[in-house]
Amino acid sequence: MKNSRKKYLKNLFYILLGNTIYAAAIVMFILPNNLITGGTTGLALFFNHEFNIPITVFVSIFNLIMFLLGFYVLGRKFALTTVISTFYYPFIFGILERIPELRGITNDHMLAVICGGIMIGFGIGIVIRVGASTGGVDIPPLVLYKKFAVPVSVSLYVIDFTILLLQMLFSNKEQVLYGILLVVIYTIVLDKVLLLGKSQLQVKIVSKNYEEINDMIINQLDRGSTLLHAETGFCRNDNLMVLTVISNRELSKLNQLVMEIDPDAFVIISQVNEVRGRGFSTQKVYVKET
């Protein structure tokens, strides 16, 4: 019960932090430089320009409508993960918008696009990492996926670029290009944040001294290993290949130890996006030999 409450408070902190960073990026870099963007904020910029609807008011109403849509189509469990962002984002946006010190940090549009893109991607990424959603235009793609099996990434890109095109009515061509670049930057940063701390290296080692290498990985690197049956392509010799997963920092040490055991070892190294299991997503368990 205590761990569950601690996890809930931790997730709540990250949801609030992510939305705050997202709102700060809009206030600090997007609005002062008249940049355009996708998402709910981009739609709010369009309605603000065309119908003079305050951005905070539009975001609040639109997020509420999308929240109700998500609750109706995707269920109560989804709604619970979205409700905080739905109401907190317009609230914190309204507060930050009233702080004059946050505006006019830079008049360089390219610098604003880069800094704003990094902050938006980082903010949204933090929220998604804890299993929540920023609400708004994130919800229609999920609805389309559930009802019509339309890939989320495809519909999200279509919606974002449609919002950018709407803003062409009051933006010049250069602003549109900046807007596209902004979407690309925060999408890349978002992907990086989602994979942060999960990326590992998979190493396969082919060697006649596989037993020594296997013992070294277990006892010196404190990593698990798997022995795979293999057959050499030319000589057709049966052999065992050692498979292990390590962090980037451990690669240099592993290479050094393998070369000390067998300078002729054949080593294959590849990047993996995520690893789950003992020693990675769950705690290690040490079993005594019998």
Side-chain angles (χ1 to χ4, degrees):
M1 188 70 179
K2 186 178 180 180
N3 289 337
S4 178
R5 180 183 293 180
K6 185 177 179 181
K7 183 179 179 181
Y8 172 79
L9 292 175
K10 182 180 177 181
N11 289 349
L12 177 61
F13 169 76
Y14 283 123
I15 293 171
L16 298 180
L17 176 63
N19 278 282
T20 302
I21 294 173
Y22 184 12
I26 303 300
V27 172
M28 294 167 64
F29 299 108
I30 307 304
L31 295 181
N33 291 280
N34 296 315
L35 297 174
I36 63 175
T37 183
T40 307
T41 305
L43 205 56
L45 290 172
F46 169 76
F47 277 88
N48 175 256
H49 187 274
E50 295 297 316
F51 306 104
N52 204 30
I53 300 174
I55 294 174
T56 306
V57 174
F58 178 86
V59 170
S60 300
I61 296 173
F62 184 79
N63 277 1
L64 179 59
I65 294 172
M66 291 298 103
F67 171 75
L68 295 174
L69 175 66
F71 181 83
Y72 177 75
V73 179
L74 302 173
R76 184 173 63 180
K77 185 177 180 180
F78 169 82
L80 290 174
T81 64
T82 309
V83 64
I84 299 172
S85 295
T86 299
F87 295 102
Y88 178 75
Y89 176 75
F91 167 75
I92 192 64
F93 181 86
I95 292 177
L96 296 177
E97 199 177 21
R98 297 189 186 97
I99 302 175
E101 289 79 9
L102 293 179
R103 299 187 180 188
I105 292 179
T106 178
N107 295 320
D108 187 320
H109 286 189
M110 182 58 73
L111 185 59
V113 165
I114 294 172
C115 294
I118 292 173
M119 288 181 66
I120 291 172
F122 188 69
I124 297 175
I126 290 175
V127 175
I128 295 177
R129 270 182 73 100
V130 297
S133 166
T134 55
V137 296
D138 290 351
I139 296 176
L142 298 174
V143 173
L144 290 173
Y145 177 75
K146 182 174 182 179
K147 292 295 183 181
F148 307 105
V150 179
V152 173
S153 59
V154 173
S155 54
L156 194 56
Y157 273 116
V158 170
I159 291 172
D160 267 339
F161 279 100
T162 300
I163 293 171
L164 288 176
L165 292 174
L166 284 174
Q167 294 170 84
M168 286 181 65
L169 297 174
F170 58 87
S171 305
N172 57 44
K173 294 178 182 178
E174 191 177 74
Q175 283 180 305
V176 174
L177 292 175
Y178 278 130
I180 293 172
L181 181 60
L182 179 68
V183 171
V184 171
I185 290 174
Y186 75 62
T187 301
I188 292 173
V189 174
L190 171 61
D191 289 338
K192 295 295 183 182
V193 171
L194 293 179
L195 296 176
L196 191 65
K198 298 180 180 181
S199 178
Q200 303 288 336
L201 295 175
Q202 176 184 244
V203 182
K204 295 175 182 176
I205 305 168
V206 180
S207 168
K208 60 182 181 296
N209 300 324
Y210 61 85
E211 285 287 5
E212 293 178 60
I213 292 173
N214 184 57
D215 289 340
M216 174 270 294
I217 290 171
I218 294 172
N219 297 316
Q220 295 187 49
L221 286 184
D222 193 25
R223 285 296 184 188
S225 63
T226 301
L227 297 177
L228 305 176
H229 289 279
E231 182 180 328
T232 59
F234 184 73
C235 296
R236 299 292 180 179
N237 294 326
D238 287 332
N239 204 350
L240 289 177
M241 179 171 61
V242 183
L243 169 66
T244 188
V245 178
I246 60 173
S247 68
N248 295 336
R249 294 180 179 180
E250 293 169 319
L251 179 59
S252 178
K253 185 177 181 181
L254 175 64
N255 276 330
Q256 179 185 345
L257 293 173
V258 169
M259 290 300 104
E260 288 175 0
I261 296 171
D262 182 8
D264 298 322
F266 189 70
V267 182
I268 306 167
I269 303 166
S270 55
Q271 190 88 36
V272 290
N273 288 333
E274 184 175 358
V275 181
R276 302 192 66 82
R278 293 291 181 187
F280 294 96
S281 60
T282 56
Q283 193 174 2
K284 288 182 181 180
V285 173
Y286 296 92
V287 180
K288 293 182 179 179
E289 293 185 5
T290 56

